[in-house]
Each structure stands twice: as structure tokens, then as C-alpha cells.
Amino acid sequence: MAPSGSRSVDCWRVLYWIPVLFISLIVAWSYYAYVVQLCIGKTGSIVYVLVYHVLFIMFVWSYWQTIFTKPMNPLKEFHLSHSDKELLEREDRRESQQEILRRIAKDLPIYTRTISGAIRYCDRCLLLKPDRCHHCSACDMCLLKMDHHCPWVNNCVGFANYKFFMLFLAYSLLYCLFVTATDLQCFIQFWTNGLPDTQAKFHIMFLFFAASTFSVSLAFLFAYHCWLVCKNRSTLEAFRAPTFQHGPDKNGFSLGTSKNFRQVFGDEKKYWLLPVFSSPGDGCSFPTCLVNADPEQPSSPSGRNPSIKSAGESHQFPPKPLRESQSRLLNNGQSEGSEDRDKRGDASHLRSIQNTANLSVLCSLTRDIR
């Protein structure tokens, strides 16, 4: 017999699906109202029906992917070993625990810290949090590049399904705008008593109200997430900037609009509009625009980051290149500095030559006077 605690948890999990069920019912009713009552019963335009079905399929496909794509957990490299767990549990002082965590994190591509500068550690999942990873209280797990927990999909939006979520917002907005635009004429006829007094007129009226209302809310939400994609920030990072070794930096992961867009949608353009996973990377490490490297990360003689493993190992973390504008600034600064040094050297050389010439003239004059 199952304990009462587990039954209550299962009941709560069932309740979490109520928003998803509500959206599904609204979409199913909108299909009936538009196709059966509006197109077939009123206009019968084949073009409207074809365009509607394309938007409907893409909308439902992206929504399905957002709901049922399982969020990705951090790789096993970030989980504490059994010996490290025992060593951490034996330590009571926070400073000693942080020393242990710093020793473990020095071989991992971790560059973000807590606000106080400590290593980001999850005591529920017993792992070191990778950059941009957060613990979701609703899912009770750490998720890679967590954006937010969305009740309308009953799932966490993160690295694994953020592209699907963006496409879901885009196609749902296009879907609602298309329904609103094509239903507008019939909606005007409803208020001018131009429609016959049948059941279809009420479906047409409520369909216009529902589609226009959802269009406004979806437009604001989609615009906000487009801004986040261009800035390479998550919703959590927009409210609280990630903290690096030098302090908080809201643009720490921004590489420029084009590269930020490709971090979500990938490099292959043929997959941009399809709800298939194409985001690059593993979700555990991300390139940053930081010029100064983390001083806690040891530097190798070859100049490469030691946290980047060799190609023969099982997993390889990508390097973190400088932003192009910052590299250009550094190169320009170095070239200008070298030019200044050359100019100063030439000037000092000329002054020494002039001083030598003046000294020789003075000596000759002295000999002539004698």
C-alpha cells in the first residue's frame, strides 16, 4: 500500500497538467470554430484552410516538443564522487567546505560564482553547478541553462528545449494573428447584423476575442524573449546578473547578436524554423566575452585552458574566446603602445646624437682658444 505522502505528491503532479489541458482544449475548439464553422460553413477558401493547417501543425509540433522534451542534467564530471561527499560532510566550517569545492572545481570549466564569491554548489543534487545551471524547486533537479519553469507546458524551459519554446511562441503568435485577421470581416458583419442568426456566429465572435487577446499577450512575451536571445541572457540572468570572479556582469555571455542567436538556433539555417534540436554545445560550458581569465583556473605553458580536455578523451569543453571587438581593442592598444615606445626610443636616440655632437664642438672650440 502506497504511503499517503506519495499519493499527495501524485495528486499535485496531476494538478500541474491543468494549464496544459486548458490550452489543449482552447486549441481544439479554435480548430473546430475556424475550419468547420468559419471556413467550411462561411467562406470556404481553400487558401485560408491550407495556410491555417500549416500554422496549426507547426504550432502544435513546437508545443509538443516544449512539453515532452526532458530537461538536461549536468554531466557526471560535475557530480561529487563518494569520497568527496564524505569529505564534505565531515567538514563543519564553511571555509573548509569551500576549500574542498574549489579544489574540485579547478579542473572544471566553471567561471561563475555566488554573489558572495563562493563556488556554486547544490546540496540537494550534490553537484557543482555549471555556468548558467540552476536548481528548479518544481522539478526538484538542477537544469542546464535554466530559463524558467513554465506552468503552461508543465516543464522547465532550459538548454534542451529553449529553441522549442521560442518556436512555440512564434508559431502561436502567427496562428493567433492569422485567425484574427481572417476572422475580422465576419466579426464586423456580426455587429452590423450581416451574419445569419445561426450557431456559427457565436463561435466566430468568441474566436475573434480569444485570438486577439492571446495575440497581445504572446506578442509581448515573444518580443521579450527575442530581446533575451539577442543579449544571450536567460530570464533568471535578466533579473540577477551572473557573478564572475571580477563581479556581476550582465553581458558576460554576450558574443554579439549573430553569435547569440546561433547559440540557441544553431549554425544550420535549414533547422532554424523546425522544432528539432540544433543548439550547439553540451549546456555545461559557454563561451564568454571576458578579457581576464579566472585567476583560480591554472594556466598551462602552451596558453590553453587546462579545463579543455584533449580530443582523445570522452568529453571536450570548448574554449572561451574573446569578443572580436575586445580582441581588436587589445591588438590596437598593443600596436599603439609599441609605436609609442618606438617613437620614444627614436627621440631619445636623436637627443643622444645631438648631445654628442654638441660636446665634440665644445671640445674643439676649447682647443682653439688654448
Side-chain angles (χ1 to χ4, degrees), residues 147-265:
D147 188 86
H148 68 286
H149 184 88
C150 182
W152 299 108
V153 298
N154 190 26
N155 197 3
C156 262
V157 178
F159 176 75
N161 60 350
Y162 188 67
K163 177 192 173 183
F164 305 149
F165 179 75
M166 287 295 299
L167 292 178
F168 158 63
L169 293 180
Y171 286 123
S172 59
L173 177 60
L174 291 176
Y175 176 81
C176 291
L177 290 176
F178 178 80
V179 171
T180 302
T182 53
D183 192 24
L184 179 60
Q185 182 180 359
C186 295
F187 182 75
I188 295 174
Q189 292 178 0
F190 171 81
W191 292 105
T192 57
N193 296 323
L195 288 179
D197 191 10
T198 60
Q199 183 182 3
K201 63 185 300 184
F202 296 102
H203 286 284
I204 293 173
M205 182 184 68
F206 288 115
L207 180 63
F208 181 84
F209 274 121
S212 58
T213 303
F214 279 110
S215 297
V216 174
S217 58
L218 286 170
F220 282 105
L221 185 60
F222 180 65
Y224 175 68
H225 278 277
C226 286
W227 178 78
L228 290 178
V229 170
C230 293
K231 296 294 183 179
N232 203 344
R233 301 177 195 169
S234 64
T235 302
L236 296 176
E237 292 168 352
F239 286 97
R240 177 182 294 178
T243 303
F244 296 87
Q245 188 70 20
H246 65 277
D249 188 353
K250 62 181 181 180
N251 295 319
F253 293 106
S254 181
L255 305 174
T257 304
S258 177
K259 292 182 180 180
N260 294 341
F261 178 84
R262 291 174 182 271
Q263 272 205 1
V264 177
F265 290 88

Side-chain angles (χ1 to χ4, degrees), residues 85-186:
K85 292 177 185 178
E86 292 182 347
L87 186 61
L88 196 65
E89 291 174 355
R90 286 199 297 266
E91 293 291 344
D92 297 330
R93 295 186 302 116
R94 180 176 176 81
E95 294 78 8
S96 302
Q97 293 178 349
Q98 279 295 311
E99 191 65 30
I100 296 172
L101 295 177
R102 278 193 291 269
R103 176 182 57 80
I104 302 172
K106 69 179 181 179
D107 296 326
L108 296 173
I110 298 177
Y111 294 92
T112 55
R113 300 289 187 266
T114 63
I115 299 179
S116 61
I119 299 294
R120 299 172 64 243
Y121 173 72
C122 180
D123 53 1
R124 292 184 63 88
C125 300
L126 300 178
L127 56 83
L128 299 177
K129 293 181 181 179
D131 294 344
R132 318 184 81 174
C133 175
H134 298 276
H135 185 89
C136 176
S137 57
C139 298
D140 195 23
M141 60 190 303
C142 284
L143 305 172
L144 298 178
K145 195 185 176 183
M146 178 180 174
D147 188 86
H148 68 286
H149 184 88
C150 182
W152 299 108
V153 298
N154 190 26
N155 197 3
C156 262
V157 178
F159 176 75
N161 60 350
Y162 188 67
K163 177 192 173 183
F164 305 149
F165 179 75
M166 287 295 299
L167 292 178
F168 158 63
L169 293 180
Y171 286 123
S172 59
L173 177 60
L174 291 176
Y175 176 81
C176 291
L177 290 176
F178 178 80
V179 171
T180 302
T182 53
D183 192 24
L184 179 60
Q185 182 180 359
C186 295

